[in-house]
Amino acid sequence: MSDPILAVSNLGVDLQREGRIKRIVDNVSFALQPGEVLGLVGEAGSGKSVLARALVRAIAPPLEIVSGKVVFEGRDILSLDPRALARVRGNRIGFIGANPMGSLDPRLPIGQQIVEKLRSVQPEIGRAEARDRVLDFFGRVRIPSPSARFHEAPFQFSGGMMQRVMIVDALVSDPSLVIADNITQPLDVTVAAQIIRLIDGLRQSLNTAFLFISSSLPVVAQLAERTLVMQRGQIVEQGLTSELAANPRQPYTRTLLSRIPPIWKDVMAPTATDGEAVLKVDNVVRTYFVRRRGSFNAYNQVQAVRGVSFTVKAGENFGIVGESGCGKSTLTRLLAWLEQPDGGRIAFLGKDLSHLSAHSLTEMRKSFQLLLQDPYGSLPAGMPLLRMIEEPLLIHGFDRAEAARRAQEAMIEVGLDAELAHRLPVGLSAGQRQRINIARALVLRPRLLILDETLSALDQVEQAELLDLFNRLQATYGFSYVFISHDLALVRRMCHRIAVMYLGRIVELADNTTLFEQPHHPYTRALLSAMPTLEHNHFPHTRYLLDGEPPSPIDLPLGCSFRSRCPRAENDCQKTDPPLLALAGGNYAACLHRHEKETADVE
């Protein structure tokens, strides 16, 4: 075996605050070979991200590196002078984070920013050569029309495309090591699977080593041959990823594995309820008009939601899944009546929301609540926790004493310590912040919760805890919820019926068992094939996984909107746009060839 490209020995990092010292990274040692992908897994707060930054000495007070060595390409990074360290970071070692939108200047073209970064770490490269290299890498990571997109701003890129941009940013300087910190967690399953496959291809072609950090062992297992398991700052287990998954030795590793929701094996799928209709959505349409670039008064039509219909029953968990850009978030705003549809009807508890007065709508809002994805940006930073939870009650006319009493009860119900009541949200974990949002929503005793990627920013341990919390609260209060997510494993565990969206339209609507075991639409099978799982996937990605991104909602193709990516498209798909038609068992699919026997595809 060749010498390791990275050798870490006895690395320690302390947090020093208010005279107290806490060990965040504790005596960590490992080695990484050239061209190897090494996984690092652990729950939130285990020290993974602090370790990643310590490896490149990107640590600032109150954190401090207190022990150990980080030997990279034969030199100890911890002993380098600032000039030598600058030649390593961003040059020989690349870094990809989980928040690509926050990593670039929103005002400047994407290509220009990467060119300037490359020339800052390799000043001997001319501007023309740097531009050519960036365009070459745009092509390698399969960004369409590289020359045109070179000049676009970050807001013009989807989440998946921005993550590709950050891979270019990390690799364009030809590093020998890349640290990838939770880069797939915010992405939908098809884009995440493409990113995983892309990294594996680049690793093989460039012989670049990767430290691949994630809170999900199924995600790591797609890429890493060896994996480290981290708990409370320590490496508690390491070995071949396949062996860790099949025969974990440490209780903590077994706990992580037990938190992974099953997809096909030993699944207790929720069975459909038969209550009264709480929410009815009938042929809802939403179109945006965006000024055409280079014109004064010409506009493009963005067809975000196209004729969506479904019903949510009392006590039902209704899931909505699909790739980024499929219209899920727009539909969320319509369901919460933050925007009004251009056409169609949304009725809640039998009342058409468009016919309500402002006062009646305010009263009605007590009965449906929206919980968003970002547990950090959705809370006011200067308001104590108890006051945040009281606020909805005060807005709706409750007196302060009653509001305080119900807010305290809500804190207990969602598992928040009473001692947090007068604290500000700074310093709280993502899970604690999301519990605050849940308490704020439930304090009004709503009939419907709209969860828009509410658990996506959390690791699997926190997700499992909050899913158990939702189950307990739903059993107590009997509310329904619309669960909008790109995480199909969560949807499998929680939802009675599921709608699959593609380019603003529902292409399949089915009960839980049918959707995951005998789906009728090829797009649904593609989503299932992209799921990270330690189980045998019934829909292998070699056969079903999609490449690229959906067509633009500005310029939808004629006929079936999925045909350009469909492995089974035929001539009639170019001419006919299939409607959502009823199938057996109250299920629906929008596919001209849906009646073919799909179980023959399952391996």
Side-chain angles (χ1 to χ4, degrees):
M1 183 177 293
S2 61
D3 292 335
I5 192 170
L6 179 71
V8 181
S9 57
N10 305 318
L11 182 62
V13 179
D14 282 353
L15 172 66
Q16 302 186 28
R17 180 177 290 169
E18 298 177 353
R20 293 179 294 179
I21 298 176
K22 180 180 180 181
R23 183 60 53 94
I24 304 298
V25 175
D26 188 4
N27 198 34
V28 167
S29 300
F30 64 90
L32 178 59
Q33 299 296 322
E36 180 187 15
V37 179
L38 177 66
L40 175 63
V41 298
E43 61 188 309
S46 61
K48 304 186 304 296
S49 293
V50 174
L51 172 60
R53 295 187 176 278
L55 296 179
V56 291
R57 223 168 87 193
I59 292 291
L63 293 171
E64 180 184 3
I65 299 173
V66 294
S67 66
K69 290 185 176 182
V70 179
V71 179
F72 172 72
E73 295 184 332
R75 294 187 297 171
D76 184 5
I77 286 180
L78 303 186
S79 63
L80 295 179
D81 61 67
R83 179 173 294 183
L85 181 63
R87 287 196 295 267
V88 171
R89 292 196 303 204
N91 188 15
R92 302 300 300 144
I93 301 178
F95 183 87
I96 313 170
N99 180 22
M101 288 296 182
S103 303
L104 295 174
D105 190 325
R107 302 165 298 175
L108 299 178
I110 289 284
Q112 177 184 332
Q113 295 189 58
I114 300 179
V115 164
E116 293 303 324
K117 178 261 183 182
L118 175 59
R119 297 189 69 219
S120 69
V121 297
Q122 297 183 5
E124 69 277 7
I125 296 178
R127 186 172 298 276
E129 182 183 349
R131 182 181 184 277
D132 290 343
R133 187 183 295 188
V134 171
L135 287 173
D136 174 59
F137 269 90
F138 273 17
R140 291 193 190 200
V141 301
R142 304 177 74 174
I143 292 177
S145 305
S147 297
R149 307 218 72 171
F150 182 92
H151 300 286
E152 292 183 354
F155 74 88
Q156 295 174 282
F157 283 64
S158 69
M161 282 297 156
M162 274 299 299
Q163 202 60 284
R164 285 175 165 85
V165 168
M166 298 315 298
I167 292 174
V168 172
D169 182 66
L171 292 175
V172 72
S173 60
D174 194 23
S176 54
L177 169 65
V178 171
I179 299 170
D181 187 7
N182 250 1
I183 64 173
T184 62
Q185 184 168 342
L187 304 177
D188 59 64
V189 289
T190 53
V191 174
Q194 292 174 36
I195 294 297
I196 292 288
R197 191 163 57 176
L198 173 63
I199 288 177
D200 191 44
L202 292 171
R203 173 188 67 85
Q204 295 181 42
S205 62
L206 302 175
N207 197 37
T208 303
F210 281 82
L211 178 63
F212 191 82
I213 302 170
S214 177
S215 59
S216 170
L217 187 56
V219 171
V220 169
Q222 294 178 301
L223 193 60
E225 183 177 353
R226 290 192 306 124
T227 296
L228 313 173
V229 181
M230 195 168 191
Q231 180 189 23
R232 297 175 184 171
Q234 295 182 324
I235 303 299
V236 296
E237 188 166 358
Q238 59 182 298
L240 295 177
T241 309
S242 57
E243 292 183 3
L244 289 180
N247 187 30
R249 298 187 302 273
Q250 296 297 319
Y252 178 69
T253 311
R254 291 195 289 269
T255 299
L256 289 180
L257 289 170
S258 70
R259 295 289 190 175
I260 301 171
I263 309 301
W264 290 284
K265 184 179 179 181
D266 301 326
V267 174
M268 296 293 292
T271 56
T273 62
D274 194 24
E276 62 176 347
V278 173
L279 177 70
K280 283 189 175 182
V281 180
D282 183 22
N283 200 31
V284 165
V285 175
R286 183 69 170 109
T287 302
Y288 298 101
F289 293 87
V290 180
R291 189 182 299 277
R292 191 173 300 161
R293 187 175 183 180
S295 69
F296 177 70
N297 60 354
Y299 294 84
N300 290 319
Q301 295 186 34
V302 180
Q303 302 177 60
V305 175
R306 303 186 292 145
V308 167
S309 300
F310 60 87
T311 299
V312 180
K313 301 174 184 178
E316 181 180 30
N317 306 332
F318 187 86
I320 301 176
V321 300
E323 293 173 291
S324 298
C326 72
K328 302 191 304 292
S329 295
T330 299
L331 182 59
T332 299
R333 293 193 293 271
L334 298 177
L335 298 181
W337 211 247
L338 300 177
E339 294 183 20
Q340 297 186 23
D342 300 318
R345 176 176 178 267
I346 298 177
F348 181 68
L349 299 178
K351 296 181 180 180
D352 188 335
L353 296 182
S354 65
H355 294 165
L356 296 181
S357 65
H359 175 75
S360 298
L361 183 60
T362 300
E363 285 297 307
M364 183 67 79
R365 284 190 182 279
K366 289 191 294 186
S367 297
F368 61 91
Q369 293 289 305
L370 173 65
L371 279 79
L372 298 174
Q373 175 180 2
D374 182 5
Y376 293 92
S378 55
L379 296 177
M383 186 179 291
L385 270 61
L386 186 66
R387 178 67 177 81
M388 292 183 203
I389 301 171
E390 292 174 348
E391 186 178 35
L393 295 166
L394 298 175
I395 289 174
H396 286 280
F398 288 78
D399 64 66
R400 287 196 173 273
E402 177 67 8
R405 184 187 67 80
R406 290 183 61 165
Q408 289 168 354
E409 290 178 353
M411 285 186 64
I412 295 172
E413 284 183 321
V414 301
L416 289 170
D417 292 336
E419 64 183 25
L420 299 177
H422 302 291
R423 277 191 55 181
L424 299 178
V426 61
L428 297 184
S429 69
Q432 288 174 312
R433 289 168 179 259
Q434 208 60 292
R435 289 175 189 269
I436 298 170
N437 283 323
I438 295 169
R440 286 175 56 152
L442 291 178
V443 75
L444 291 169
R445 303 292 187 262
R447 295 285 304 276
L448 176 71
L449 292 180
I450 303 168
L451 312 181
D452 184 13
E453 301 283 10
T454 304
L455 306 181
S456 297
L458 309 179
D459 65 43
Q460 287 185 327
V461 174
E462 290 176 314
Q463 286 178 347
E465 291 175 353
L466 289 181
L467 287 177
D468 291 340
L469 172 63
F470 277 124
N471 283 334
R472 294 196 302 271
L473 294 173
Q474 189 176 37
T476 301
Y477 297 110
F479 55 78
S480 307
Y481 57 78
V482 177
F483 191 84
I484 299 166
S485 178
H486 65 252
D487 191 330
L488 292 171
L490 296 180
V491 171
R492 174 64 153 159
R493 175 177 171 178
M494 298 302 295
C495 296
H496 302 105
R497 291 186 301 138
I498 301 144
V500 180
M501 287 190 71
Y502 185 78
L503 279 178
R505 178 174 291 177
I506 291 178
V507 297
E508 183 159 6
L509 198 164
D511 63 82
N512 187 305
T513 299
T514 299
L515 191 94
F516 280 88
E517 296 181 4
Q518 291 183 312
H520 289 85
H521 200 281
Y523 179 59
T524 307
R525 297 194 292 275
L527 292 179
L528 294 174
S529 76
M531 293 179 61
T533 176
L534 298 179
E535 301 176 48
H536 168 68
N537 193 322
H538 289 194
F539 302 90
H541 70 271
T542 53
R543 185 170 184 180
Y544 294 105
L545 183 62
L546 300 175
D547 271 327
E549 296 199 342
S552 169
I554 296 174
D555 187 21
L556 293 173
L558 296 176
C560 176
S561 56
F562 184 63
R563 66 176 175 81
S564 62
R565 305 172 78 195
C566 181
R568 291 188 173 182
E570 298 184 11
N571 290 335
D572 54 349
C573 301
Q574 301 179 28
K575 305 172 184 177
T576 305
D577 189 7
L580 191 67
L581 297 179
L583 305 174
N587 301 320
Y588 299 82
C591 181
L592 297 176
H593 306 287
R594 63 191 178 279
H595 296 299
E596 298 174 6
K597 188 178 180 182
E598 302 303 341
T599 52
D601 294 336
V602 180
E603 296 184 0

PDB file of all heavy atoms in Angstrom, residues 371-379 430 433-434 437 452-457:
ATOM      1  N   LEU A 371     -45.253  24.719   8.508  1.00  0.00           N
ATOM      2  CA  LEU A 371     -43.925  24.561   9.099  1.00  0.00           C
ATOM      3  C   LEU A 371     -42.914  24.466   7.974  1.00  0.00           C
ATOM      4  O   LEU A 371     -43.024  23.598   7.103  1.00  0.00           O
ATOM      5  CB  LEU A 371     -43.839  23.293   9.966  1.00  0.00           C
ATOM      6  CG  LEU A 371     -44.398  23.384  11.378  1.00  0.00           C
ATOM      7  CD1 LEU A 371     -45.917  23.269  11.353  1.00  0.00           C
ATOM      8  CD2 LEU A 371     -43.819  22.275  12.256  1.00  0.00           C
ATOM      9  N   LEU A 372     -41.898  25.333   8.017  1.00  0.00           N
ATOM     10  CA  LEU A 372     -40.936  25.434   6.925  1.00  0.00           C
ATOM     11  C   LEU A 372     -39.683  24.606   7.199  1.00  0.00           C
ATOM     12  O   LEU A 372     -39.491  24.049   8.281  1.00  0.00           O
ATOM     13  CB  LEU A 372     -40.571  26.909   6.699  1.00  0.00           C
ATOM     14  CG  LEU A 372     -41.735  27.808   6.288  1.00  0.00           C
ATOM     15  CD1 LEU A 372     -41.298  29.256   6.248  1.00  0.00           C
ATOM     16  CD2 LEU A 372     -42.307  27.387   4.944  1.00  0.00           C
ATOM     17  N   GLN A 373     -38.804  24.577   6.187  1.00  0.00           N
ATOM     18  CA  GLN A 373     -37.617  23.730   6.240  1.00  0.00           C
ATOM     19  C   GLN A 373     -36.531  24.281   7.136  1.00  0.00           C
ATOM     20  O   GLN A 373     -35.920  23.538   7.900  1.00  0.00           O
ATOM     21  CB  GLN A 373     -37.062  23.538   4.826  1.00  0.00           C
ATOM     22  CG  GLN A 373     -35.741  22.773   4.768  1.00  0.00           C
ATOM     23  CD  GLN A 373     -35.233  22.603   3.359  1.00  0.00           C
ATOM     24  OE1 GLN A 373     -35.837  23.089   2.412  1.00  0.00           O
ATOM     25  NE2 GLN A 373     -34.125  21.918   3.190  1.00  0.00           N
ATOM     26  N   ASP A 374     -36.268  25.586   7.043  1.00  0.00           N
ATOM     27  CA  ASP A 374     -35.085  26.168   7.675  1.00  0.00           C
ATOM     28  C   ASP A 374     -35.354  26.436   9.151  1.00  0.00           C
ATOM     29  O   ASP A 374     -36.089  27.362   9.492  1.00  0.00           O
ATOM     30  CB  ASP A 374     -34.721  27.478   6.964  1.00  0.00           C
ATOM     31  CG  ASP A 374     -33.462  28.108   7.533  1.00  0.00           C
ATOM     32  OD1 ASP A 374     -32.825  27.484   8.406  1.00  0.00           O
ATOM     33  OD2 ASP A 374     -33.115  29.226   7.104  1.00  0.00           O
ATOM     34  N   PRO A 375     -34.769  25.663  10.073  1.00  0.00           N
ATOM     35  CA  PRO A 375     -35.018  25.898  11.491  1.00  0.00           C
ATOM     36  C   PRO A 375     -34.275  27.112  12.038  1.00  0.00           C
ATOM     37  O   PRO A 375     -34.504  27.501  13.171  1.00  0.00           O
ATOM     38  CB  PRO A 375     -34.512  24.610  12.150  1.00  0.00           C
ATOM     39  CG  PRO A 375     -33.455  24.102  11.239  1.00  0.00           C
ATOM     40  CD  PRO A 375     -33.883  24.512   9.842  1.00  0.00           C
ATOM     41  N   TYR A 376     -33.383  27.695  11.235  1.00  0.00           N
ATOM     42  CA  TYR A 376     -32.627  28.860  11.689  1.00  0.00           C
ATOM     43  C   TYR A 376     -33.261  30.164  11.209  1.00  0.00           C
ATOM     44  O   TYR A 376     -33.442  31.097  11.977  1.00  0.00           O
ATOM     45  CB  TYR A 376     -31.178  28.755  11.212  1.00  0.00           C
ATOM     46  CG  TYR A 376     -30.426  27.624  11.870  1.00  0.00           C
ATOM     47  CD1 TYR A 376     -30.382  26.362  11.286  1.00  0.00           C
ATOM     48  CD2 TYR A 376     -29.788  27.810  13.089  1.00  0.00           C
ATOM     49  CE1 TYR A 376     -29.712  25.311  11.901  1.00  0.00           C
ATOM     50  CE2 TYR A 376     -29.115  26.770  13.711  1.00  0.00           C
ATOM     51  CZ  TYR A 376     -29.080  25.529  13.116  1.00  0.00           C
ATOM     52  OH  TYR A 376     -28.431  24.500  13.731  1.00  0.00           O
ATOM     53  N   GLY A 377     -33.604  30.246   9.923  1.00  0.00           N
ATOM     54  CA  GLY A 377     -34.147  31.485   9.375  1.00  0.00           C
ATOM     55  C   GLY A 377     -35.601  31.721   9.698  1.00  0.00           C
ATOM     56  O   GLY A 377     -36.117  32.813   9.446  1.00  0.00           O
ATOM     57  N   SER A 378     -36.311  30.725  10.266  1.00  0.00           N
ATOM     58  CA  SER A 378     -37.741  30.882  10.510  1.00  0.00           C
ATOM     59  C   SER A 378     -38.073  31.357  11.915  1.00  0.00           C
ATOM     60  O   SER A 378     -39.249  31.482  12.267  1.00  0.00           O
ATOM     61  CB  SER A 378     -38.465  29.552  10.238  1.00  0.00           C
ATOM     62  OG  SER A 378     -37.902  28.507  11.008  1.00  0.00           O
ATOM     63  N   LEU A 379     -37.050  31.633  12.745  1.00  0.00           N
ATOM     64  CA  LEU A 379     -37.284  32.107  14.109  1.00  0.00           C
ATOM     65  C   LEU A 379     -36.681  33.496  14.298  1.00  0.00           C
ATOM     66  O   LEU A 379     -35.560  33.750  13.842  1.00  0.00           O
ATOM     67  CB  LEU A 379     -36.668  31.143  15.130  1.00  0.00           C
ATOM     68  CG  LEU A 379     -37.236  29.724  15.191  1.00  0.00           C
ATOM     69  CD1 LEU A 379     -36.462  28.897  16.200  1.00  0.00           C
ATOM     70  CD2 LEU A 379     -38.707  29.741  15.542  1.00  0.00           C
ATOM     71  N   ALA A 430     -30.457  22.431  15.653  1.00  0.00           N
ATOM     72  CA  ALA A 430     -31.499  22.470  14.637  1.00  0.00           C
ATOM     73  C   ALA A 430     -32.750  21.729  15.109  1.00  0.00           C
ATOM     74  O   ALA A 430     -33.881  22.157  14.851  1.00  0.00           O
ATOM     75  CB  ALA A 430     -30.983  21.859  13.330  1.00  0.00           C
ATOM     76  N   ARG A 433     -34.657  23.921  17.593  1.00  0.00           N
ATOM     77  CA  ARG A 433     -35.323  25.016  16.885  1.00  0.00           C
ATOM     78  C   ARG A 433     -36.572  24.520  16.159  1.00  0.00           C
ATOM     79  O   ARG A 433     -37.598  25.197  16.133  1.00  0.00           O
ATOM     80  CB  ARG A 433     -34.360  25.661  15.892  1.00  0.00           C
ATOM     81  CG  ARG A 433     -33.259  26.478  16.539  1.00  0.00           C
ATOM     82  CD  ARG A 433     -32.177  26.832  15.531  1.00  0.00           C
ATOM     83  NE  ARG A 433     -31.119  27.642  16.115  1.00  0.00           N
ATOM     84  CZ  ARG A 433     -31.015  28.966  15.960  1.00  0.00           C
ATOM     85  NH1 ARG A 433     -31.901  29.615  15.248  1.00  0.00           N
ATOM     86  NH2 ARG A 433     -30.032  29.637  16.517  1.00  0.00           N
ATOM     87  N   GLN A 434     -36.476  23.330  15.565  1.00  0.00           N
ATOM     88  CA  GLN A 434     -37.639  22.817  14.858  1.00  0.00           C
ATOM     89  C   GLN A 434     -38.755  22.448  15.831  1.00  0.00           C
ATOM     90  O   GLN A 434     -39.938  22.573  15.505  1.00  0.00           O
ATOM     91  CB  GLN A 434     -37.240  21.613  13.997  1.00  0.00           C
ATOM     92  CG  GLN A 434     -38.093  21.409  12.763  1.00  0.00           C
ATOM     93  CD  GLN A 434     -38.073  22.575  11.801  1.00  0.00           C
ATOM     94  OE1 GLN A 434     -38.586  23.657  12.103  1.00  0.00           O
ATOM     95  NE2 GLN A 434     -37.511  22.357  10.636  1.00  0.00           N
ATOM     96  N   ASN A 437     -40.725  25.535  16.364  1.00  0.00           N
ATOM     97  CA  ASN A 437     -41.661  25.764  15.272  1.00  0.00           C
ATOM     98  C   ASN A 437     -42.893  24.867  15.390  1.00  0.00           C
ATOM     99  O   ASN A 437     -44.018  25.293  15.102  1.00  0.00           O
ATOM    100  CB  ASN A 437     -40.967  25.507  13.930  1.00  0.00           C
ATOM    101  CG  ASN A 437     -40.054  26.638  13.521  1.00  0.00           C
ATOM    102  OD1 ASN A 437     -40.355  27.802  13.750  1.00  0.00           O
ATOM    103  ND2 ASN A 437     -38.923  26.315  12.924  1.00  0.00           N
ATOM    104  N   ASP A 452     -43.404  21.638   4.925  1.00  0.00           N
ATOM    105  CA  ASP A 452     -42.622  21.825   3.700  1.00  0.00           C
ATOM    106  C   ASP A 452     -41.160  21.537   3.990  1.00  0.00           C
ATOM    107  O   ASP A 452     -40.426  22.397   4.464  1.00  0.00           O
ATOM    108  CB  ASP A 452     -42.800  23.252   3.181  1.00  0.00           C
ATOM    109  CG  ASP A 452     -42.086  23.479   1.855  1.00  0.00           C
ATOM    110  OD1 ASP A 452     -41.674  22.483   1.223  1.00  0.00           O
ATOM    111  OD2 ASP A 452     -41.929  24.639   1.442  1.00  0.00           O
ATOM    112  N   GLU A 453     -40.722  20.299   3.711  1.00  0.00           N
ATOM    113  CA  GLU A 453     -39.343  19.865   3.968  1.00  0.00           C
ATOM    114  C   GLU A 453     -38.942  20.153   5.409  1.00  0.00           C
ATOM    115  O   GLU A 453     -37.792  20.497   5.709  1.00  0.00           O
ATOM    116  CB  GLU A 453     -38.370  20.556   3.003  1.00  0.00           C
ATOM    117  CG  GLU A 453     -38.646  20.312   1.532  1.00  0.00           C
ATOM    118  CD  GLU A 453     -38.190  18.934   1.064  1.00  0.00           C
ATOM    119  OE1 GLU A 453     -37.831  18.111   1.920  1.00  0.00           O
ATOM    120  OE2 GLU A 453     -38.204  18.689  -0.146  1.00  0.00           O
ATOM    121  N   THR A 454     -39.885  19.988   6.341  1.00  0.00           N
ATOM    122  CA  THR A 454     -39.670  20.389   7.730  1.00  0.00           C
ATOM    123  C   THR A 454     -38.525  19.642   8.395  1.00  0.00           C
ATOM    124  O   THR A 454     -37.855  20.176   9.279  1.00  0.00           O
ATOM    125  CB  THR A 454     -40.972  20.179   8.529  1.00  0.00           C
ATOM    126  OG1 THR A 454     -42.026  20.903   7.880  1.00  0.00           O
ATOM    127  CG2 THR A 454     -40.837  20.673   9.939  1.00  0.00           C
ATOM    128  N   LEU A 455     -38.271  18.403   7.981  1.00  0.00           N
ATOM    129  CA  LEU A 455     -37.247  17.584   8.630  1.00  0.00           C
ATOM    130  C   LEU A 455     -35.987  17.428   7.792  1.00  0.00           C
ATOM    131  O   LEU A 455     -35.062  16.732   8.190  1.00  0.00           O
ATOM    132  CB  LEU A 455     -37.813  16.194   8.948  1.00  0.00           C
ATOM    133  CG  LEU A 455     -39.105  16.160   9.767  1.00  0.00           C
ATOM    134  CD1 LEU A 455     -39.531  14.724  10.015  1.00  0.00           C
ATOM    135  CD2 LEU A 455     -38.938  16.903  11.075  1.00  0.00           C
ATOM    136  N   SER A 456     -35.935  18.085   6.634  1.00  0.00           N
ATOM    137  CA  SER A 456     -34.831  17.844   5.696  1.00  0.00           C
ATOM    138  C   SER A 456     -33.482  18.318   6.212  1.00  0.00           C
ATOM    139  O   SER A 456     -32.450  17.773   5.834  1.00  0.00           O
ATOM    140  CB  SER A 456     -35.134  18.528   4.353  1.00  0.00           C
ATOM    141  OG  SER A 456     -36.279  17.961   3.763  1.00  0.00           O
ATOM    142  N   ALA A 457     -33.470  19.339   7.069  1.00  0.00           N
ATOM    143  CA  ALA A 457     -32.200  19.879   7.560  1.00  0.00           C
ATOM    144  C   ALA A 457     -31.660  19.116   8.766  1.00  0.00           C
ATOM    145  O   ALA A 457     -30.605  19.472   9.296  1.00  0.00           O
ATOM    146  CB  ALA A 457     -32.375  21.358   7.929  1.00  0.00           C
TER     147      ALA A 457
END
